[in-house]
């Protein structure tokens, strides 16, 4: 099964209009021409506060 998605570091062509200019967000990339949204392959595994440390007292309880 094929699932269209935006892959960083590659040339990505829009499945709708064929253009390759994108507006990149946290979870999706949107085509600058036709506004088709694709999920990012990374799935949001980057950015601030991705890995949150639990307080030690919560682990001791």
């Amino acid at each position: 099964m094929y699932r269209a998605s935006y892959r960083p570091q590659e040339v990505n062509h829009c499945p709708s209009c064929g253009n390759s200019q994108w507006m990149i967000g946290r979870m999706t990339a949107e085509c600058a021409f036709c506004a088709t949204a694709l999920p990012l392959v990374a799935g949001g595994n980057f950015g601030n506060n991705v890995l949150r440390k639990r307080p030690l007292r919560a682990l001791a309880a």
Side-chain angles (χ1 to χ4, degrees):
M1 178 186 214
Y2 175 76
R3 180 177 175 208
S5 57
Y6 182 89
R7 296 176 187 337
Q9 310 299 327
E10 293 184 21
V11 176
N12 293 279
H13 294 281
C14 177
S16 245
C17 67
N19 287 302
S20 60
Q21 293 185 6
W22 299 88
M23 293 181 283
I24 310 300
R26 287 184 168 191
M27 301 297 288
T28 61
E30 185 176 312
C31 177
F33 291 94
C34 69
T36 297
L38 296 179
L40 298 177
V41 168
N45 292 332
F46 55 92
N48 293 334
N49 296 325
V50 173
L51 300 175
R52 297 181 185 158
K53 294 182 180 179
R54 296 169 69 181
L56 291 176
R57 62 190 149 158
L59 295 174

